[in-house]
Amino acid sequence: MAVSTSPETPIPVGEVSRLIGGWIDRLGAVWVEGQITQLSRRPGAGVVFLTLRDPSYDISLSVTCYRQVFDKVADVISEGARVVVHAKPEWYAPRGQLSLRAAEIRPVGVGELLARLEQLKKSLAAEGLFAADRKKPLPFLPQLIGLVCGRASAAERDVLENARHRWPAVRFAVRNVPVQGVHAVPQVIAAVQELDALPEVDVIIVARGGGSVEDLLPFSDEQLVRAVGAAATPVVSAIGHEPDTPLLDLVADLRASTPTDAAKKVVPDVGEELTRIRQLRDRAFRAVDGFVQREERGLAAALHRPCIQRPQRMVEEREEQVTALLERGRRTLGHLLDRADSELAHTLARVVALSPKATLERGYAVLQKADGAAVRSPQEVGADEELRARVAEGEFRVRVSGAEGAVTPGA
């Protein structure tokens, strides 16, 4: 509950400490998980002092326990081990210090650690942190490589030597950090974020030369996995532990089996590239040379064609063809005209021979009535009927006489 105070009515430090102790005493016992960073077990002392730390959040708490509680697990735990403690919060009033009084300590086994990591893996995978479409491609030739590794470690030496052997001009920005223990996670995260903030860094390699499952736990920490997933610079994981895969391998943009393998995947080999360039140049030269030779042969073949050597020959050949066609056209047209003229003459002769005028010229006459109708039978005319007779040289009038229809010329 709140305490009423003012500048005029303050309460003593001892009273504040006593009130805090009273509030803490009301708290019940809790199960706490953490990593042992300090362990003090003095010979003959009845109390053992430990420091329990959360590596993900860089928070520590003091833990005390009776010797008989610690002796039950003394053979299986040491500094750096992960444990689960059943303890009650206590307040030490004289020093104003909060600690945990442990009633039971249990070591966290490898199987339990792997089970928790598997559960964390599924949770992060469901968020899409391991999705392939999140992977960023590595640059072909990085100018500056960020390297996060242990100080003077074999991993650092392998990466630097192999990378510079493959491409001597490559540069590194090295950040030496603890790669195991309680301080590994925050310092690795800080190093990755620092290198990611440098615009000249093209790729970041996080390297370690393998180790046990417990040693590699920092590289499966959720905070580190999220920090790598949020990095804008491509990250290469080179932990070098084949049997078990740290979660860093899954979130990184590229996984290398060892630090040496990371150097080979990140930096191209200058000898191989020079060989490839020579091969490409030779291939390009052969292609261009083959093209030029092919065009030269085509040009030579074209120049040897008769139409190129004597171009007027084409005109002369066409002239002869035109002349021959013209003569043929004239002959054909003459034949057609002659045939048409002959047919016209024969037709005209037939028409003249069959015309009424030709009949009249042979001495025949045509009798027509007054309305112009030709008389074809004696019964068509009557007595004294006047008719018109047409002959070859003209016409004249006649009159019908007699009952038999005899015709007499009229006046």
Side-chain angles (χ1 to χ4, degrees):
M1 64 179 57
V3 178
S4 298
T5 61
S6 69
E8 291 75 19
T9 60
I11 61 176
V13 173
E15 181 64 16
V16 173
S17 181
R18 185 187 66 79
L19 291 173
I20 293 175
W23 294 332
I24 292 177
D25 285 339
R26 296 189 185 98
L27 298 176
V30 293
W31 286 98
V32 183
E33 180 185 357
Q35 189 174 21
I36 298 176
T37 58
Q38 292 181 354
L39 176 60
S40 176
R41 185 175 54 171
R42 297 175 182 175
V47 178
V48 178
F49 297 91
L50 305 91
T51 299
L52 203 60
R53 188 172 185 276
D54 186 341
S56 298
Y57 295 96
D58 198 14
I59 298 175
S60 300
L61 281 176
S62 298
V63 179
T64 61
C65 67
Y66 293 113
R67 176 174 290 275
Q68 56 267 30
V69 174
F70 183 80
D71 287 343
K72 295 179 182 179
V73 293
D75 296 335
V76 293
I77 65 173
S78 59
E79 288 188 4
R82 283 182 175 264
V83 295
V84 175
V85 177
H86 188 241
K88 186 180 184 304
E90 287 187 346
W91 179 258
Y92 185 60
R95 294 184 181 177
Q97 182 178 359
L98 176 67
S99 64
L100 298 175
R101 172 71 68 173
E104 184 180 354
I105 301 176
R106 297 181 183 179
V108 178
V110 174
E112 187 175 356
L113 287 175
L114 294 178
R116 293 183 183 180
L117 290 180
E118 185 64 25
Q119 185 177 4
L120 177 60
K121 174 182 175 182
K122 292 180 180 179
S123 175
L124 296 178
E127 296 182 23
L129 286 180
F130 306 150
D133 56 1
R134 291 175 55 93
K135 308 295 184 183
K136 295 177 285 293
L138 270 63
F140 167 72
L141 180 59
Q143 301 299 313
L144 181 62
I145 300 175
L147 176 60
V148 181
C149 60
R151 185 179 303 277
S153 62
E156 177 182 4
R157 183 177 64 254
D158 290 345
V159 172
L160 296 180
E161 290 182 357
N162 283 278
R164 287 169 178 161
H165 176 74
R166 292 172 65 84
W167 199 278
V170 69
R171 296 181 296 118
F172 281 90
V174 181
R175 298 294 182 270
N176 295 121
V177 297
V179 291
Q180 70 182 59
V182 294
H183 301 289
V185 173
Q187 294 197 31
V188 171
I189 292 177
V192 171
Q193 292 176 343
E194 178 186 354
L195 293 172
D196 185 44
L198 298 177
E200 60 270 21
V201 173
D202 298 319
V203 63
I204 300 172
I205 300 177
V206 181
R208 175 192 162 89
S212 64
V213 176
E214 293 85 350
D215 294 338
L216 299 181
L217 283 178
F219 298 99
S220 293
D221 186 85
E222 181 178 359
Q223 301 302 317
L224 176 58
V225 171
R226 293 189 182 277
V228 171
T233 308
V235 178
V236 177
S237 174
I239 305 306
H241 191 259
E242 289 294 342
D244 300 301
T245 301
L247 298 185
L248 180 63
D249 286 351
L250 303 178
V251 73
D253 300 293
L254 179 66
R255 177 187 181 274
S257 58
T258 61
T260 301
D261 184 48
K264 292 180 179 180
K265 290 183 176 179
V266 172
V267 181
D269 185 85
V270 63
E272 294 178 358
E273 297 305 319
L274 289 175
T275 302
R276 185 176 291 109
I277 291 174
R278 286 194 297 268
Q279 292 174 348
L280 292 174
R281 290 179 59 185
D282 294 342
R283 180 180 176 184
F285 176 79
R286 290 193 299 270
V288 173
D289 184 63
F291 175 79
V292 172
Q293 292 183 7
R294 187 166 56 253
E295 294 301 316
E296 287 180 347
R297 290 193 298 269
L299 180 61
L303 292 175
H304 283 83
R305 295 181 62 181
C307 60
I308 299 297
Q309 293 183 343
R310 190 167 175 267
Q312 64 272 20
R313 180 177 180 180
M314 296 176 60
V315 178
E316 294 173 354
E317 292 178 354
R318 296 296 182 269
E319 182 182 9
E320 294 176 358
Q321 294 178 1
V322 170
T323 302
L325 291 174
L326 182 60
E327 293 297 331
R328 179 180 177 184
R330 287 175 177 174
R331 289 194 302 271
T332 302
L333 181 60
H335 293 328
L336 292 175
L337 292 176
D338 292 343
R339 186 183 304 168
D341 182 69
S342 176
E343 291 178 353
L344 181 60
H346 286 92
T347 302
L348 179 61
R350 288 196 299 272
V351 170
V352 170
L354 298 175
S355 66
K357 183 178 179 182
T359 303
L360 295 177
E361 287 179 350
R362 290 198 298 272
Y364 293 93
V366 178
L367 295 178
Q368 293 178 313
K369 290 186 176 184
D371 58 0
V375 178
R376 294 178 175 80
S377 174
Q379 287 76 19
E380 295 180 357
V381 298
D384 296 330
E385 183 178 355
E386 186 175 318
L387 303 173
R388 186 173 57 188
R390 292 188 61 182
V391 293
E393 299 297 333
E395 62 181 32
F396 56 89
R397 298 183 181 277
V398 297
R399 186 179 298 277
V400 180
S401 62
E404 298 295 330
V407 180
T408 61

